[in-house]
Amino acid sequence: MKRRTVLKSSLAALVLAGAAPYGLSLFGREPLLSKAHASNRVPITPLPIPPLLENLDKSGKTARFAMEAQRGVMDFFPGKPTSTFGYNGNFLGPTIRVRNGQRFSMSAKNSLGQTTTLHWHGLHVPAQWDGGPRQPIADGSTWKPEFTIRQEAATLWYHPHAMGLTGEQVYNGLAGLFYIEDEFSDSLDIPKNYGVDDIPLVIQDRRFFSNGQFAYTQNMHDVMNGVIGNHMLVNGALRPSLSVHAGLLRLRLLNGSNSSIYRIAFKDQRTFKVIASDGGFLEHPVAMNSIVLSAGERAEIILDLGGAAVEEELILLVDQMKGSRFEAMRIKVGSPAESNAALPSDLRPLDRIPESEASIIRGFTMETMAMGGGRMGMGMMGRRLTINGKKMDINRIDEQVKLSSTEIWEITNQSVMMMSMPHSMHLHDVQFQILSRNGQTPPHEQGRKDTVLIMPGETVRIISRFRDYTGVYMYHCHLLEHEDDGMMGQFKVIS
Ligand code: C2O
Ligand code: CU
Ligand code: CU
């Protein structure tokens, strides 16, 4: 009896010190819902497909949209309603589809009861309409960005980006896809029937309290490692199943998680072809049987189900780098598709940016530092997540970039020993090209990118052109708990 009390109180001390391992009751009295709870209690449901956002310009000449960030409720677990956020709905948002060259306008209403922003991740956009932390939308007000789309076909996304609130608001459900199409993507002979053979997959892990609410409570461990979930959602569903024809299937993958790094594969190890990265098509399809996406990254893949037996069932596997394996989704193969076109072997010629075009090389160090020892030992040891030794300060411009110039950025993940963790570097405004990752570039990373995984000890060199727009933009770690903790800086494009 006595011994138990002692044990209990030392555990309590550990919890206070923020050093309790993940999975213990860090959250007061409320335990977490176990992973098994989903497979035991949640029925398999058809994969939800986010609706395409309706263009208010009926002629389709311009792209005129309206969205509202609002509160909602979802029944992820039967009988345990979860309070959520969504755009025009309970969870996540509609898919926005625009064309290169189109005039775009959005009326974005904030009905959340707290400040938010609406950021176009991956979009080349004037700084004042970027939707980053410099463009807050106060509760109850409406933000009306308007600009022209100047960008090739790509699978981008949108999410809130208010200072210190990004992680929690995305966790609650604020995110959606943003497709750009153009003449090239129209003409390419690949699946493009939205929701039929061209399927958006927003992949996100979550953890829940046993009462069904999201467990987005952060202790120091969560800030450092990110809030890593033990349940996997695809398009907001826990155990989704997708029925498709036997033919080519295009999956547009978004790692929409807060801080997880995913290795995505199929249970039977089958090969698929990667056709696009963050910023658009690759030059040629790249055959792989698994792909790693850090938080914020996208990839488009093609599965050839032409030879699949009717009723064959594939399982999409998602492995968390720090966590477990999930059978995230089933794909049921039905009757043959009408067309059985083969995937073209040439996709889009890449406008490669030559290294010689760069006028400057900048160095960035993403660092995880341990500070002091503290009188309570490891648990109380302060840690700092920084870029070039600094934390985000909205009143400070970290880098000045000349308009119309080309720059090389060398980004190093300096985390060492016990503090080592991956980071996911993201730049606003530009789609860059990876020059090298530790001296090499894997073929599926040779297209345009806006977010890049940087493992401990790695250096990634990227090159980008800063065109068209002046103003202040962000660069940051896309692990949202790191970003909210200040692992972010600002660059100003000046004329
Ligand atoms: Cu996806 Cu600065 O954001
Ligand atoms: Cu962004
Ligand atoms: Cu990070």
Side-chain angles (χ1 to χ4, degrees):
M1 204 57 206
K2 233 190 171 148
R3 193 177 144 70
R4 269 187 85 180
T5 325
V6 171
L7 254 172
K8 258 192 180 159
S9 60
S10 63
L11 233 184
L14 265 171
V15 170
L16 275 174
Y22 163 69
L24 283 180
S25 63
L26 310 175
F27 312 103
R29 256 152 272 133
E30 196 69 48
L32 296 177
L33 275 181
S34 72
K35 188 177 173 189
H37 195 92
S39 35
N40 296 341
R41 311 279 172 82
V42 178
I44 295 173
T45 49
L47 176 77
I49 302 292
L52 284 170
L53 186 57
E54 185 195 346
N55 189 352
L56 300 175
D57 176 356
K58 290 297 164 221
S59 76
K61 270 193 76 185
T62 64
R64 196 150 55 80
F65 298 111
M67 269 197 333
E68 183 174 1
Q70 59 195 57
R71 287 171 182 261
V73 176
M74 286 287 282
D75 290 304
F76 297 110
F77 298 94
K80 291 180 185 293
T82 308
S83 303
T84 54
F85 289 178
Y87 294 107
N88 293 3
N90 289 310
F91 192 72
L92 298 177
T95 299
I96 298 172
R97 202 164 57 179
V98 300
R99 297 189 61 80
N100 190 12
Q102 218 174 15
R103 191 74 186 159
F104 169 89
S105 63
M106 171 65 75
S107 166
K109 175 148 202 243
N110 175 7
S111 304
L112 293 172
Q114 56 187 243
T115 297
T116 191
T117 81
L118 182 52
H119 168 61
W120 320 106
H121 178 123
L123 195 67
H124 179 48
V125 55
Q128 77 264 34
W129 302 126
D130 184 46
R134 303 177 74 88
Q135 291 90 38
I137 314 173
D139 177 41
S141 66
T142 300
W143 184 61
K144 296 187 169 172
E146 188 178 344
F147 49 84
T148 299
I149 306 289
R150 300 194 199 191
Q151 201 166 337
E152 291 183 349
T155 300
L156 313 179
W157 63 301
Y158 61 88
H159 61 77
H161 212 308
M163 275 289 264
L165 294 172
T166 303
E168 184 161 13
Q169 292 187 351
V170 171
Y171 210 81
N172 283 332
L174 293 181
L177 289 162
F178 190 105
Y179 292 0
I180 303 177
E181 303 292 351
D182 61 10
E183 271 150 35
F184 191 88
S185 67
D186 288 349
S187 69
L188 204 58
D189 194 10
I190 56 172
K192 47 185 99 124
N193 200 347
Y194 184 79
V196 177
D197 58 12
D198 178 1
I199 309 288
L201 297 180
V202 181
I203 305 173
Q204 303 173 301
D205 53 65
R206 291 290 184 273
R207 62 186 187 203
F208 297 85
F209 290 127
S210 62
N211 65 7
Q213 299 310 314
F214 286 131
Y216 195 76
T217 314
Q218 297 178 70
N219 57 18
M220 192 187 286
H221 181 272
D222 291 330
V223 172
M224 295 309 290
N225 291 278
V227 173
I228 308 296
N230 58 343
H231 294 276
M232 193 60 71
L233 300 175
V234 183
N235 296 350
L238 269 173
R239 299 185 71 206
S241 172
L242 170 70
S243 296
V244 296
H245 288 298
L248 294 185
L249 177 66
R250 177 182 185 184
L251 301 175
R252 303 201 195 204
L253 309 171
L254 161 65
N255 179 344
S257 75
N258 274 44
S259 281
S260 286
I261 290 146
Y262 295 146
R263 179 176 289 280
I264 298 167
F266 293 88
K267 200 173 182 180
D268 61 4
Q269 298 286 327
R270 71 174 52 223
T271 302
F272 52 82
K273 301 273 176 65
V274 183
I275 59 163
S277 54
D278 299 333
F281 293 110
L282 303 178
E283 284 192 288
H284 308 285
V286 177
M288 299 181 81
N289 53 22
S290 75
I291 185 166
V292 172
L293 295 178
S294 64
E297 282 186 295
R298 288 88 62 212
E300 295 184 32
I301 65 171
I302 298 277
L303 277 175
D304 186 354
L305 303 175
V310 175
E311 295 302 299
E312 190 173 334
E313 192 176 70
L314 314 186
I315 308 267
L316 181 81
L317 288 182
V318 178
D319 283 311
Q320 290 166 323
M321 188 170 286
K322 292 182 182 175
S324 50
R325 161 165 293 190
F326 296 86
E327 299 197 347
M329 184 177 82
R330 285 146 214 269
I331 300 175
K332 271 222 159 84
V333 185
S335 55
E338 273 159 41
S339 108
N340 53 357
L343 182 64
S345 56
D346 292 319
L347 297 166
R348 183 166 213 157
L350 181 68
D351 173 22
R352 219 172 275 277
I353 311 175
E355 248 189 272
S356 57
E357 194 181 295
S359 53
I360 183 173
I361 300 177
R362 286 177 208 267
F364 294 84
T365 304
M366 304 179 90
E367 201 166 15
T368 315
M369 286 181 355
M371 307 193 26
R375 51 204 159 84
M376 292 183 73
M378 273 302 283
M380 281 306 270
M381 192 143 84
R383 292 172 195 179
R384 266 163 64 88
L385 293 159
T386 57
I387 301 179
N388 286 348
K390 296 175 286 185
K391 281 201 174 294
M392 169 72 174
D393 177 350
I394 202 155
N395 298 311
R396 183 189 68 225
I397 299 299
D398 298 281
E399 310 292 334
Q400 296 220 354
V401 174
K402 268 302 258 172
L403 181 65
S404 300
S405 70
T406 300
E407 297 204 352
I408 292 173
W409 289 18
E410 290 183 350
I411 309 156
T412 299
N413 179 341
Q414 188 94 292
S415 29
V416 280
M417 302 210 311
M418 283 180 63
M419 304 299 153
S420 85
M421 57 194 60
H423 296 293
S424 175
M425 183 64 145
H426 169 54
L427 274 62
H428 290 207
D429 181 33
V430 296
Q431 285 289 339
F432 53 78
Q433 191 190 316
I434 298 178
L435 290 173
S436 65
R437 170 187 290 287
N438 297 326
Q440 297 166 319
T441 321
H444 72 285
E445 286 197 320
Q446 289 180 12
R448 286 292 194 271
K449 298 277 299 161
D450 55 54
T451 307
V452 58
L453 172 65
I454 308 182
M455 292 298 290
E458 279 192 324
T459 294
V460 174
R461 299 176 74 237
I462 63 172
I463 187 165
S464 37
R465 291 175 172 143
F466 296 84
R467 298 244 169 112
D468 305 318
Y469 309 125
T470 55
V472 181
Y473 296 94
M474 308 292 139
Y475 57 90
H476 58 89
C477 180
H478 217 285
L479 307 192
L480 299 182
E481 285 70 46
H482 290 183
E483 178 200 323
D484 281 340
D485 193 56
M487 202 167 202
M488 174 155 66
Q490 303 185 99
F491 66 93
K492 182 173 189 178
V493 182
I494 48 167
S495 54

